[in-house]
Amino acid sequence: MSYPPRLAHLATRAVVVARLVPTYAQAHRLDEEEAAQRLTSALSGRMLGALLESTWTALLGSTKRLKEDGLLEKVATTLSERPLRPGRVAPLTPAWSAFLVLADLEAGTASDAVRRVMETDDGRRRAAEGLAEAGRFLAAELTRGR
């Protein structure tokens, strides 16, 4: 399943980075500027699309009342006043750790050993779990508030 184009127009790379920076910075013990640079780099390729897809799946699963247009309106309303508001810090779980490793791989800051581990069947499974976890977090961030 793919996400609607409007989601990408609302949840731009800058918006997604802003929501993920606090968690990434705390997990890596970086300042937020360095964390934002790394995440921007990581989300410059295919990872942003995969994250938006998992976010859309989480949004669809989070409500029975709202249809697709209603969900997109809720996201638009949430982002209307402060789209670049930093997200909350997510509690780190094994799935979150896998997502952060994926981000490091995409940003080019992870080692070759990490890349080899993530290329195994177990690594791919954990990567999928990590994307799903980050998607649920992002779905909550994009709809919290109003």
Side-chain angles (χ1 to χ4, degrees):
M1 174 215 298
S2 187
Y3 58 91
R6 185 169 180 215
L7 182 63
H9 290 289
L10 294 168
T12 62
R13 182 175 46 225
V15 168
V16 173
V17 166
R19 300 302 164 118
L20 297 178
V21 158
T23 301
Y24 189 91
Q26 183 174 334
H28 287 76
R29 293 189 172 97
L30 296 170
D31 65 41
E32 290 196 354
E33 186 176 320
E34 175 69 19
Q37 289 174 349
R38 288 186 186 187
L39 277 171
T40 299
S41 175
L43 295 172
S44 293
R46 65 183 186 265
M47 189 173 180
L48 180 59
L51 182 56
L52 289 178
E53 191 165 324
S54 67
T55 300
W56 184 244
T57 300
L59 283 168
L60 289 175
S62 67
T63 182
K64 292 185 183 352
R65 290 182 335 187
L66 296 176
K67 300 295 180 215
E68 290 185 11
D69 289 342
L71 283 170
L72 291 169
E73 273 311 306
K74 188 169 183 179
V75 170
T77 301
T78 300
L79 296 176
S80 65
E81 288 184 22
R82 290 186 55 207
L84 299 180
R85 176 180 69 181
R88 297 175 182 167
V89 175
L92 291 182
T93 63
W96 257 109
S97 295
F99 173 77
L100 296 171
V101 167
L102 279 177
D104 290 343
L105 284 170
E106 289 295 316
T109 59
S111 70
D112 286 337
V114 170
R115 181 175 306 281
R116 287 192 299 275
V117 167
M118 293 305 283
E119 289 173 348
T120 65
D121 289 339
D122 190 45
R124 284 190 286 278
R125 181 183 55 79
R126 289 183 188 272
E129 291 170 0
L131 275 171
E133 181 79 12
R136 286 188 294 274
F137 173 80
L138 194 54
E141 284 293 312
L142 293 176
T143 55
R144 79 176 160 115
R146 300 178 181 228

